[in-house]
Amino acid sequence: QVQLVESGGGLVQAGGSLQLSCAVSGIIFRINAFAWYRQAPGKRRELVASINSDYSTNYQDLEDSAKDRFTISRDNNKNTVYLRVNRLKSEDTAVYYCVTGRSIPPKEYWGPGTQVTVSS
């Protein structure tokens, strides 16, 4: 059974940073791709970043002004995926989801999400 559990969310001041973690079990971690999505209140869910088994990354769905603030990474020894966000803005307030699967980008298996709230 595939399980993804996000952590690291919370209330953060604008301009600050945070790192989200996603602990994964039930799959062969090293051969899978992962992604982070987010959904802000009243908005549709959007892809933030994805990382493949070869460690290549993609941030193409983010606005250009946001791409340099987000970093996705993975640790195959810890079966964990990370998302670091720098210079947080109020528009980063959302529920962040860790996702894996066979699709490109992954979309089949979802964690419950972790809330990130940025205060101005």
Short mmCIF file of all heavy atoms in Angstrom, two decimals, residues 30-58:
data_model
loop_
_atom_site.label_atom_id
_atom_site.label_comp_id
_atom_site.label_asym_id
_atom_site.label_seq_id
_atom_site.Cartn_x
_atom_site.Cartn_y
_atom_site.Cartn_z
N ARG A 30 13.35 4.56 -5.09
CA ARG A 30 14.40 5.09 -5.97
C ARG A 30 14.00 5.10 -7.44
O ARG A 30 14.59 5.84 -8.22
CB ARG A 30 15.68 4.29 -5.79
CG ARG A 30 15.56 2.81 -6.13
CD ARG A 30 16.88 2.08 -5.95
NE ARG A 30 16.72 0.65 -6.12
CZ ARG A 30 16.63 0.04 -7.28
NH1 ARG A 30 16.71 0.77 -8.38
NH2 ARG A 30 16.49 -1.27 -7.35
N ILE A 31 13.00 4.32 -7.84
CA ILE A 31 12.65 4.26 -9.26
C ILE A 31 11.44 5.13 -9.59
O ILE A 31 11.00 5.18 -10.75
CB ILE A 31 12.39 2.82 -9.73
CG1 ILE A 31 11.13 2.24 -9.07
CG2 ILE A 31 13.60 1.94 -9.50
CD1 ILE A 31 10.72 0.89 -9.63
N ASN A 32 10.88 5.78 -8.59
CA ASN A 32 9.67 6.56 -8.80
C ASN A 32 9.93 8.06 -8.89
O ASN A 32 10.86 8.58 -8.29
CB ASN A 32 8.68 6.30 -7.67
CG ASN A 32 7.89 5.03 -7.90
OD1 ASN A 32 6.84 5.04 -8.52
ND2 ASN A 32 8.43 3.92 -7.41
N ALA A 33 9.08 8.71 -9.64
CA ALA A 33 9.06 10.17 -9.70
C ALA A 33 8.06 10.70 -8.67
O ALA A 33 7.11 10.00 -8.29
CB ALA A 33 8.65 10.65 -11.09
N PHE A 34 8.31 11.93 -8.23
CA PHE A 34 7.44 12.56 -7.23
C PHE A 34 7.15 13.99 -7.63
O PHE A 34 7.90 14.60 -8.41
CB PHE A 34 8.10 12.52 -5.86
CG PHE A 34 8.33 11.13 -5.35
CD1 PHE A 34 9.52 10.47 -5.62
CD2 PHE A 34 7.36 10.47 -4.61
CE1 PHE A 34 9.73 9.16 -5.17
CE2 PHE A 34 7.56 9.18 -4.16
CZ PHE A 34 8.74 8.53 -4.45
N ALA A 35 6.08 14.49 -7.07
CA ALA A 35 5.71 15.88 -7.35
C ALA A 35 5.08 16.51 -6.11
O ALA A 35 4.57 15.80 -5.24
CB ALA A 35 4.73 15.94 -8.52
N TRP A 36 5.15 17.81 -6.07
CA TRP A 36 4.42 18.60 -5.08
C TRP A 36 3.39 19.43 -5.84
O TRP A 36 3.71 20.10 -6.84
CB TRP A 36 5.35 19.53 -4.31
CG TRP A 36 6.22 18.86 -3.31
CD1 TRP A 36 7.50 18.40 -3.50
CD2 TRP A 36 5.89 18.56 -1.95
NE1 TRP A 36 7.97 17.84 -2.34
CE2 TRP A 36 7.01 17.93 -1.37
CE3 TRP A 36 4.77 18.77 -1.15
CZ2 TRP A 36 7.04 17.50 -0.04
CZ3 TRP A 36 4.79 18.35 0.17
CH2 TRP A 36 5.92 17.72 0.71
N TYR A 37 2.14 19.35 -5.37
CA TYR A 37 1.07 20.20 -5.85
C TYR A 37 0.63 21.08 -4.68
O TYR A 37 0.90 20.77 -3.52
CB TYR A 37 -0.14 19.36 -6.31
CG TYR A 37 0.06 18.54 -7.54
CD1 TYR A 37 0.83 17.37 -7.53
CD2 TYR A 37 -0.55 18.90 -8.74
CE1 TYR A 37 0.99 16.60 -8.68
CE2 TYR A 37 -0.39 18.14 -9.89
CZ TYR A 37 0.38 16.99 -9.84
OH TYR A 37 0.54 16.23 -10.98
N ARG A 38 -0.10 22.14 -5.01
CA ARG A 38 -0.69 22.96 -3.96
C ARG A 38 -2.07 23.43 -4.40
O ARG A 38 -2.34 23.55 -5.59
CB ARG A 38 0.19 24.14 -3.60
CG ARG A 38 0.34 25.20 -4.69
CD ARG A 38 1.25 26.31 -4.23
NE ARG A 38 1.42 27.34 -5.26
CZ ARG A 38 2.18 28.41 -5.13
NH1 ARG A 38 2.87 28.61 -4.00
NH2 ARG A 38 2.26 29.30 -6.10
N GLN A 39 -2.90 23.70 -3.40
CA GLN A 39 -4.22 24.25 -3.68
C GLN A 39 -4.51 25.36 -2.68
O GLN A 39 -4.58 25.11 -1.47
CB GLN A 39 -5.30 23.17 -3.61
CG GLN A 39 -6.66 23.69 -4.05
CD GLN A 39 -7.64 22.58 -4.33
OE1 GLN A 39 -7.50 21.46 -3.83
NE2 GLN A 39 -8.64 22.87 -5.15
N ALA A 40 -4.65 26.55 -3.21
CA ALA A 40 -4.97 27.71 -2.39
C ALA A 40 -6.48 27.83 -2.27
O ALA A 40 -7.22 27.32 -3.12
CB ALA A 40 -4.38 28.97 -3.02
N PRO A 41 -6.96 28.51 -1.24
CA PRO A 41 -8.41 28.68 -1.05
C PRO A 41 -9.07 29.30 -2.28
O PRO A 41 -8.61 30.32 -2.78
CB PRO A 41 -8.50 29.61 0.15
CG PRO A 41 -7.22 29.41 0.89
CD PRO A 41 -6.18 29.13 -0.15
N GLY A 42 -10.10 28.64 -2.78
CA GLY A 42 -10.84 29.16 -3.90
C GLY A 42 -10.17 29.01 -5.25
O GLY A 42 -10.67 29.53 -6.25
N LYS A 43 -9.04 28.32 -5.29
CA LYS A 43 -8.31 28.16 -6.55
C LYS A 43 -8.17 26.68 -6.89
O LYS A 43 -8.29 25.81 -6.04
CB LYS A 43 -6.95 28.82 -6.46
CG LYS A 43 -6.99 30.33 -6.28
CD LYS A 43 -5.61 30.94 -6.36
CE LYS A 43 -5.66 32.45 -6.26
NZ LYS A 43 -4.30 33.05 -6.37
N ARG A 44 -7.89 26.42 -8.14
CA ARG A 44 -7.69 25.04 -8.55
C ARG A 44 -6.31 24.55 -8.11
O ARG A 44 -5.40 25.34 -7.90
CB ARG A 44 -7.86 24.88 -10.06
CG ARG A 44 -6.81 25.61 -10.89
CD ARG A 44 -7.06 25.36 -12.38
NE ARG A 44 -6.08 26.03 -13.21
CZ ARG A 44 -4.92 25.51 -13.56
NH1 ARG A 44 -4.60 24.29 -13.13
NH2 ARG A 44 -4.08 26.17 -14.33
N ARG A 45 -6.18 23.25 -8.01
CA ARG A 45 -4.92 22.67 -7.62
C ARG A 45 -3.89 22.90 -8.73
O ARG A 45 -4.21 22.80 -9.92
CB ARG A 45 -5.12 21.17 -7.37
CG ARG A 45 -4.01 20.49 -6.64
CD ARG A 45 -4.45 19.09 -6.27
NE ARG A 45 -5.51 19.09 -5.27
CZ ARG A 45 -6.10 17.98 -4.82
NH1 ARG A 45 -5.75 16.81 -5.32
NH2 ARG A 45 -7.03 18.06 -3.91
N GLU A 46 -2.63 23.19 -8.35
CA GLU A 46 -1.60 23.43 -9.35
C GLU A 46 -0.33 22.65 -9.02
O GLU A 46 -0.02 22.40 -7.85
CB GLU A 46 -1.27 24.92 -9.46
CG GLU A 46 -0.62 25.53 -8.25
CD GLU A 46 -0.15 26.96 -8.47
OE1 GLU A 46 0.00 27.36 -9.65
OE2 GLU A 46 0.09 27.66 -7.47
N LEU A 47 0.37 22.26 -10.07
CA LEU A 47 1.64 21.57 -9.92
C LEU A 47 2.72 22.58 -9.56
O LEU A 47 2.88 23.59 -10.25
CB LEU A 47 1.99 20.86 -11.23
CG LEU A 47 3.35 20.19 -11.31
CD1 LEU A 47 3.46 19.04 -10.33
CD2 LEU A 47 3.60 19.70 -12.74
N VAL A 48 3.46 22.29 -8.51
CA VAL A 48 4.54 23.17 -8.09
C VAL A 48 5.87 22.69 -8.67
O VAL A 48 6.62 23.48 -9.27
CB VAL A 48 4.64 23.22 -6.55
CG1 VAL A 48 5.85 24.05 -6.11
CG2 VAL A 48 3.36 23.77 -5.95
N ALA A 49 6.19 21.42 -8.48
CA ALA A 49 7.48 20.90 -8.92
C ALA A 49 7.42 19.39 -8.99
O ALA A 49 6.61 18.76 -8.30
CB ALA A 49 8.59 21.33 -7.97
N SER A 50 8.29 18.82 -9.82
CA SER A 50 8.40 17.37 -9.89
C SER A 50 9.87 16.98 -9.97
O SER A 50 10.71 17.78 -10.39
CB SER A 50 7.63 16.80 -11.08
OG SER A 50 8.13 17.32 -12.29
N ILE A 51 10.16 15.76 -9.53
CA ILE A 51 11.52 15.25 -9.57
C ILE A 51 11.47 13.80 -10.03
O ILE A 51 10.66 13.01 -9.54
CB ILE A 51 12.22 15.40 -8.20
CG1 ILE A 51 13.69 15.02 -8.29
CG2 ILE A 51 11.49 14.64 -7.10
CD1 ILE A 51 14.50 15.46 -7.08
N ASN A 52 12.33 13.47 -10.97
CA ASN A 52 12.35 12.12 -11.53
C ASN A 52 13.34 11.23 -10.78
O ASN A 52 14.08 11.69 -9.91
CB ASN A 52 12.70 12.21 -13.01
CG ASN A 52 11.64 12.94 -13.80
OD1 ASN A 52 10.44 12.73 -13.60
ND2 ASN A 52 12.07 13.83 -14.68
N SER A 53 13.37 9.96 -11.17
CA SER A 53 14.27 9.02 -10.52
C SER A 53 15.73 9.36 -10.77
O SER A 53 16.60 8.98 -9.98
CB SER A 53 13.97 7.59 -10.97
OG SER A 53 14.10 7.48 -12.37
N ASP A 54 15.99 10.09 -11.86
CA ASP A 54 17.37 10.49 -12.17
C ASP A 54 17.73 11.85 -11.56
O ASP A 54 18.74 12.44 -11.93
CB ASP A 54 17.59 10.52 -13.69
CG ASP A 54 16.73 11.57 -14.38
OD1 ASP A 54 15.95 12.24 -13.70
OD2 ASP A 54 16.85 11.70 -15.62
N TYR A 55 16.88 12.33 -10.68
CA TYR A 55 17.05 13.58 -9.95
C TYR A 55 16.80 14.83 -10.81
O TYR A 55 16.96 15.95 -10.32
CB TYR A 55 18.45 13.70 -9.31
CG TYR A 55 18.68 12.73 -8.18
CD1 TYR A 55 19.13 11.45 -8.46
CD2 TYR A 55 18.44 13.09 -6.86
CE1 TYR A 55 19.33 10.53 -7.43
CE2 TYR A 55 18.64 12.19 -5.83
CZ TYR A 55 19.09 10.91 -6.11
OH TYR A 55 19.28 10.02 -5.08
N SER A 56 16.40 14.66 -12.07
CA SER A 56 16.05 15.82 -12.87
C SER A 56 14.77 16.44 -12.32
O SER A 56 13.89 15.72 -11.82
CB SER A 56 15.87 15.44 -14.34
OG SER A 56 14.85 14.46 -14.49
N THR A 57 14.66 17.75 -12.41
CA THR A 57 13.54 18.46 -11.81
C THR A 57 12.81 19.32 -12.84
O THR A 57 13.36 19.64 -13.90
CB THR A 57 14.02 19.36 -10.65
OG1 THR A 57 14.98 20.30 -11.16
CG2 THR A 57 14.64 18.54 -9.55
N ASN A 58 11.58 19.68 -12.50
CA ASN A 58 10.77 20.48 -13.40
C ASN A 58 9.91 21.43 -12.59
O ASN A 58 9.22 20.99 -11.65
CB ASN A 58 9.90 19.55 -14.26
CG ASN A 58 9.30 20.28 -15.44
OD1 ASN A 58 8.79 21.38 -15.33
ND2 ASN A 58 9.34 19.65 -16.59
#
